[in-house]
Structure formats: structure tokens, C-alpha cells
Amino acid sequence: QGFTMPGCFFLIFLIVAILGCPISSMGYVNYSPLLSRSTRITRTGISDVKLASISVRLRGINPCRLRRSHDLRMQASEAKSFCTLVIQVVRQDDENGRTIDADELSELLMETGALSVIVEDADRGTEQELPIFNEPGRAERYWNNCNVTAFYPHGWDIPAVLEMVVKSMDLPVVPRYAVDEVRDQDWVKLVQQSWKPILIDHLLLRFPWHSKEDIDSVVLQDSEIHELMLEGGMAFGTGEHPTTRLCCRWLQQKLALEHGQRVRVMDYGAGSGVLGLTSLRFGAEAAVGVEIDPDSIVAAHSNARLNGMESFKVYLPSSTAKDAELIEDLRYAAQLRQLSGMLSWNDMLETLPDDCHGYDVVVSNILAGPLIRLAPELARLSRAQGLLGLSGILHEQAERVIEAYEPFYEQLRVEQEDQGWVLITGKRKP
């Protein structure tokens, strides 16, 4: 019954448990759960927005116990040694005609005090591996064969957790599982060693702990370099992923051609704000971001202040104002973050003003599905003959994305490719 624990599990967990700022290396404006890569989905215990609905859906859980789970996680986050509980979920009906739902199980494990839960493709690395990007509107949310891994402090009552899983999900027997220990380490040092400064042509992305020696190791002497300091927080965009590199490289090239011109940039799906901030660093007159995730908005504004670019503002999509339920959820999430000190009044959530349009450059690094649906909105934000840059798109998805934008843009093409990911560019039709 043993499963191997990939070393990168530790990295995600360390940030959650020790730094309190989980970073996803790939994702679209933070659906829950966060997308870390095609074969791994991660959720953390930071936002308990849906406690009431969870307590109704999951049988046998006392709502008071649910409210305590947040406090338990906050106390447990001080722990330095941990254990993992891995439950195998196979998408097939059990003998009572019931399927174990990976999403429901991960929510339940969070409410039993888990610090972090990872849902991973059990067929990863085999011919059966299936890329799933958790895009909205797609039927497949999880894989047919999943490993659901929960991280708990050392000494947690795992038998009690399993008992609650069986009772709450009406299972006839305890599902197949494995428990493993995670040895104590200097987690902060380990995380910092994992992120090196990143050089993308003339752009240097660095983190607060990087020393001069770290920077000199990647930058050639006398090179003309523009530097950005980033603290990714819970947002996507630390420069490691090929799609971020593609967009940063393209922005540098286009802004260099427009040198001296008054260029306004829209970063749609801003994440950490790296693309909007890159635009400002390379000469754009103004940049604005759009996001649907409060944590990403916080991270983007924090990075703007860190780099002396307080003019960079990130908004919720204008369509958000029409979704009363979403607005209520976002406001509740913001209240929780204000109480915990994670959100300041400077980061209050606002929808994109009606007069925000006519941008010279629109760049969006999301995923193919959302980009296809966003084609009319991105076209609305572009000025006539304005430039478009799209990424978060796999090579085999490029044709579908181009077809979606053909009614609005001309000269559409795959301009660059990096490790199977592509950058699509075009020019707004007059």
C-alpha cells in the first residue's frame, strides 16, 4: 500500500505551513483549488469561505467543529514536523453504487485540520497520464485515478480522520491509504534555495532574500538589466513558467519598438502583476490589471509597492458586478483577510471602471478555455490596431484560440513557443 512522496510536495507545503504564502507555478486567476501543474491541484487552509455549504454537503460533521478547523490549522502551522495521509480515489462506483468524489474528500480533509491537500494524477509519468487544467466549463475536473494527499502536523489523530471520512461519505470500508512521515528541516532555507533569480532577456526577476552573489550568478557583467522584486504570495507569476517567460519577452520587444510613445497596457489575469509591472519597467506610460482572485490582487498591489509602482492598479472584471453571488463570496473572503491582516484597505476590491478600454497592448496569460470565452471582452479593451499577446496555450490548442479571435483581430499567429507552450499575437482590426 505504499506510495512514494515526490519531493516537490514538500515545496508547496512548506510555503503554506511556514511562510503562510502558497505560490502556484501555473494557474488561471485562482480557481479553487489552485492549479500547480497539469497533474497536481493544491488547496490550502487559508480561506474558509464555504463552511456552511460544506457542513450541509458532508454528512456527520458538526458545524462547530468546522469553525474550529481554521483555528486548528493556525495553531498547527507552527509545527515543524509533519505526516502525510494519502488516500487513493478511483473513479468507479463502490459496491453500494457510490463514487468517492475527490473534491468532496479534499474539502473534508481540510475540515479535519489538514494544513494542505493535494490531488494528484496517480498515473502521472505513465502513458495513462491525462493533462487536466481545471478550466471552468470543462466536464473533467479530476482524473480517473487520483492520490489525495493531506498534510498534518506530526502526531495528528489519523485514525480519527479516517473514521470521519468513512462516516461522512457513507463508505462501506476505509479506502486504501498510506501514512508517511516528513522529516524536520530548515523549511525557510529550503524554499529560498529552490528559487533562484530569473533572467528573461533584459528582465531580472528576483526575490527579497537574493544576495548580490545570487544575482551575479545569472547576470553578465555590464549587461543592461531592468530589475523587478517579487513576492509571489498566493498568485501565479514568478517567472519560472514558460508562459510567463514568453509574455515577458514579447512585452520587452514590443515596448522597445514603441520607445518614447505613450503606451497603455492591460494585463488581463494579472496574478502577481508581473506582466503589468514588466510593462511599466520597460517604458509603458500606464498599466492596469484584471483579476478574479482577492489573494492575487493583494499580491499584485504588494509587488507594485515593492517596486515603487503604486500607479499599477488591479481590478475585478467588469462582469463581476452582475454576479451577486460571486460579489458576496469575494466580499466575505476580503473580510476574512482583513481580520487576519492579509488584506489592507489599499487592496479593497473594485470592479474595472467603464472608462478602462482602448489599450495599446492587451496581454493575457491564462488558459486556452478561458481565453476563448474572453475573446469579445479582450477585443473590447483593445484600441483599433492595438497589439494582442496571449499565452497559457498548449501547441495543440493554438488553432482553436486563433479561430476565436479571428472576428476581432488580424495577423494572428503563433509567434513563439517554449516547452510546448505558445504565444499567440495579433493586431486589433480597425
Side-chain angles (χ1 to χ4, degrees), residues 37 118 121 206 257 290 298 304 370 396 407 419 424:
R37 49 167 291 174
I118 293 172
D121 186 359
R206 56 167 298 193
L257 293 175
V290 172
V298 172
E396 58 268 24
Q419 299 180 35
I424 293 176

Side-chain angles (χ1 to χ4, degrees), residues 51-65:
L51 290 182
S53 62
I54 295 169
S55 64
V56 170
R57 189 172 76 250
L58 298 178
R59 297 177 49 187
I61 304 179
N62 187 317
C64 293
R65 187 169 187 174

Side-chain angles (χ1 to χ4, degrees), residues 138-151:
R138 297 294 296 271
E140 65 277 11
R141 182 172 175 83
Y142 293 109
W143 304 270
N144 291 328
N145 188 13
C146 301
N147 289 337
V148 180
T149 303
F151 293 83

Side-chain angles (χ1 to χ4, degrees), residues 41 46 57 72 88 90 116 143 146 162 202 207 214 223 227 258 260 266 294-295 323 338 346 367 390 397 410 422:
I41 293 175
I46 299 299
R57 189 172 76 250
L72 289 172
Q88 188 174 33
V90 179
S116 179
W143 304 270
C146 301
L162 293 168
H202 297 286
F207 304 101
D214 293 329
S223 298
E227 181 179 303
E258 300 291 335
M266 164 58 69
D295 295 313
D323 191 332
Q338 285 171 0
N346 293 329
L367 289 171
L390 305 175
Q397 299 170 327
E410 57 191 13
V422 301

Side-chain angles (χ1 to χ4, degrees), residues 158-419:
I158 299 300
V161 172
L162 293 168
E163 180 182 1
M164 182 172 284
V165 168
V166 171
K167 289 182 178 179
S168 301
M169 303 190 74
D170 275 340
L171 303 180
V173 295
V174 177
R176 187 167 181 254
Y177 73 94
V179 178
D180 200 1
E181 296 293 324
V182 180
R183 66 184 180 84
D184 188 16
Q185 298 187 54
D186 185 340
W187 299 116
V188 173
K189 182 178 179 180
L190 184 62
V191 170
Q192 292 180 351
Q193 289 176 341
S194 301
W195 269 289
K196 304 297 183 185
I198 298 168
L199 187 63
I200 307 172
D201 292 351
H202 297 286
L203 172 66
L204 176 69
L205 300 178
R206 56 167 298 193
F207 304 101
W209 58 80
H210 286 146
S211 65
K212 184 178 184 302
E213 290 73 20
D214 293 329
I215 296 171
D216 290 343
S217 67
V218 298
V219 176
L220 295 176
Q221 190 174 7
D222 299 326
S223 298
E224 184 182 351
I225 296 298
H226 297 267
E227 181 179 303
L228 280 181
M229 179 89 75
L230 293 179
E231 290 181 332
M234 289 190 241
F236 166 61
T238 57
E240 294 180 300
H241 198 271
T243 60
T244 307
R245 294 197 299 266
L246 286 169
C247 291
C248 287
R249 202 168 280 127
W250 179 72
L251 285 169
Q252 292 178 60
Q253 294 167 357
K254 296 307 173 185
L255 289 168
L257 293 175
E258 300 291 335
H259 183 67
Q261 303 299 315
R262 303 178 65 180
V263 178
R264 298 167 63 242
V265 177
M266 164 58 69
D267 177 6
Y268 205 98
S272 68
V274 62
L275 301 184
L277 297 175
T278 295
S279 301
L280 292 171
R281 186 64 85 207
F282 281 85
E285 180 187 55
V288 169
V290 172
E291 254 294 346
I292 65 169
D293 173 43
D295 295 313
S296 293
I297 292 175
V298 172
H301 288 167
S302 175
N303 285 327
R305 290 190 290 270
L306 194 63
N307 290 278
M309 300 178 182
E310 288 84 352
S311 64
F312 180 63
K313 176 73 176 177
V314 180
Y315 298 94
L316 294 168
S318 54
S319 59
T320 305
K322 303 175 184 178
D323 191 332
E325 183 177 352
L326 178 58
I327 283 289
E328 183 179 355
D329 284 346
L330 289 171
R331 284 176 177 169
Y332 182 52
Q335 290 172 4
L336 290 174
R337 285 154 177 77
Q338 285 171 0
L339 289 173
S340 64
M342 296 171 61
L343 185 70
S344 71
W345 290 107
N346 293 329
D347 300 310
M348 289 306 295
L349 307 178
E350 302 176 37
T351 55
L352 186 68
D354 293 336
D355 59 355
C356 285
H357 56 80
Y359 288 92
D360 304 291
V361 177
V362 174
V363 59
S364 186
N365 181 22
I366 309 180
L367 289 171
L371 284 173
I372 289 171
R373 287 185 289 278
L374 284 169
E377 175 65 7
L378 297 191
R380 184 187 71 84
L381 295 171
S382 299
R383 70 163 173 81
Q385 297 295 292
L387 301 179
L388 175 73
L390 305 175
S391 197
I393 306 160
L394 292 169
H395 177 80
E396 58 268 24
Q397 299 170 327
E399 186 175 346
R400 288 195 298 118
V401 175
I402 288 175
E403 288 176 357
Y405 283 81
E406 280 179 339
F408 313 103
Y409 290 86
E410 57 191 13
Q411 301 177 30
L412 287 162
R413 65 190 180 97
V414 173
E415 183 161 324
Q416 299 177 36
E417 183 168 347
D418 189 346
Q419 299 180 35

Side-chain angles (χ1 to χ4, degrees), residues 91-149:
R91 187 179 296 175
Q92 62 182 19
D93 290 341
D94 60 27
E95 58 189 47
N96 290 338
R98 174 171 165 76
T99 297
I100 298 176
D101 185 275
D103 192 46
E104 185 175 317
L105 175 60
S106 64
E107 292 281 9
L108 175 57
L109 293 173
M110 289 301 300
E111 299 314 324
T112 62
L115 290 160
S116 179
V117 176
I118 293 172
V119 183
E120 184 178 28
D121 186 359
D123 295 320
R124 178 178 146 207
T126 72
E127 293 183 356
Q128 286 72 43
E129 179 177 354
L130 178 65
I132 294 180
F133 296 97
N134 200 27
E135 299 179 49
R138 297 294 296 271
E140 65 277 11
R141 182 172 175 83
Y142 293 109
W143 304 270
N144 291 328
N145 188 13
C146 301
N147 289 337
V148 180
T149 303

